[in-house]
Amino acid sequence: MRDAETVTFGGSGLDRAAWLRGNPEELAMRRRDGSACVLPIWRGKPLFAGHSAAWVAPGHSVLETAAETPVFLGLDEGQARFAADISAWEPETGDTPPAGVFFDPTEQRHPALPDDHRFAELRGVMADLTPRDAELVATAKAILGWHRSHRFCSACGQPSAVADGGWQRRCAACGTFHFPRTDPVVIMLITHGNKTLLGRSPGWPEGMYSCLAGFVEPGEPLEAAVRREVAEETGIRVGPVRYLASQPWPYPSSLMIGCAGEAVTEEITIDPHEIEDAIWVSREDVALALSGEHPTIRRPRNGAIAGFLLANWVADRLD
Ligand SMILES: [Zn+2]
């Protein structure tokens, strides 16, 4: 697909400078000499100023509660970029993030930062970021999330430590190296003639429908994952499948792999354990939903690959 990499988080050609990761002295020097900058992330919420990521100097007091050595993200125009997890910070004021909601609308402000700086859900800002900011923030959120949830060695249970500029954890007790996880998810634009198959999960906002999606299982090619997920959730059988575009999706660590699939059956039988509803929607109705004018189907969220695939399908730009 020609426009594949224009999706949000589609990559900006960031120089990840992997050769620097194994040189902790050089990384520490770049933080000390003031030439680097750091993105603080609090409990999965990056720091933003307006519609941009907000970077701070490595010695900034907001980083006092950083859990571990900052992760080295790469070189942006030669400037070293890091990300630090400051989840240990306890805000004294502001709203408490609600538990278990689809979208956390609360924002937190830190007393050591200017008033326009706030920790916020990436979902609410992602579509406005520059491609470079989007790549840096998505990378930072995903890898810091991995560190937070992988503090102990999965081989022996002992605490592990950050290594390789943040791109590994190592266990001193048993010597195992651990690498950041990326979980592949297929998300599929299933079509049958002029219609596409959309579904919704329990708990989604009213009127929200999206392309079906599911995790790829061990030992399974993408094409088989597409056919299995669609069959499990809706009973629809799918014939030819092809790759369209991919999107890193740091919620917490997925890679969304957008595929097109042609349905060979039409009758929907949903599995209520998997989804709440599934419907065939015409190209004209998808166009209305994309413009926010459909009476019952809500406009897809800006920045997510489902809306990107649907918009390209409506515009006949899947080639
Ligand atoms: Zn171990």
Side-chain angles (χ1 to χ4, degrees), residues 148-197:
R148 283 191 82 196
S149 57
H150 290 76
R151 292 181 181 171
F152 295 88
C153 175
S154 55
C156 77
Q158 292 301 304
S160 58
V162 175
D164 205 34
W167 292 86
Q168 280 183 31
R169 296 188 73 89
R170 290 186 192 158
C171 174
C174 76
T176 302
F177 292 12
H178 300 277
F179 297 89
R181 268 176 71 163
T182 296
D183 303 322
V185 176
V186 283
I187 180 160
M188 37 278 183
L189 183 76
I190 301 300
T191 55
H192 192 266
N194 192 46
K195 297 175 296 189
T196 190
L197 183 62

Side-chain angles (χ1 to χ4, degrees), residues 46-169:
L47 184 65
F48 295 105
H51 296 297
S52 304
W55 301 83
V56 301
H60 197 285
S61 62
V62 74
L63 303 174
E64 278 170 4
T65 50
E68 295 174 311
T69 309
V71 171
F72 174 58
L73 301 174
L75 298 175
D76 183 15
E77 311 290 331
Q79 184 185 39
R81 302 283 188 134
F82 294 86
D85 184 350
I86 64 152
S87 296
W89 170 58
E90 291 290 348
E92 287 170 14
T93 57
D95 297 329
T96 305
V101 294
F102 186 78
F103 179 86
D104 168 12
T106 67
E107 299 184 340
Q108 287 72 33
R109 285 176 169 74
H110 194 288
L113 292 167
D115 282 351
D116 67 339
H117 285 44
R118 82 273 184 211
F119 294 97
E121 259 245 29
L122 177 56
R123 276 191 181 90
V125 185
M126 61 186 178
D128 299 325
L129 298 174
T130 63
R132 177 54 47 87
D133 263 2
E135 178 171 355
L136 286 163
V137 174
T139 304
K141 177 172 162 54
I143 194 153
L144 290 181
W146 174 71
H147 283 292
R148 283 191 82 196
S149 57
H150 290 76
R151 292 181 181 171
F152 295 88
C153 175
S154 55
C156 77
Q158 292 301 304
S160 58
V162 175
D164 205 34
W167 292 86
Q168 280 183 31
R169 296 188 73 89

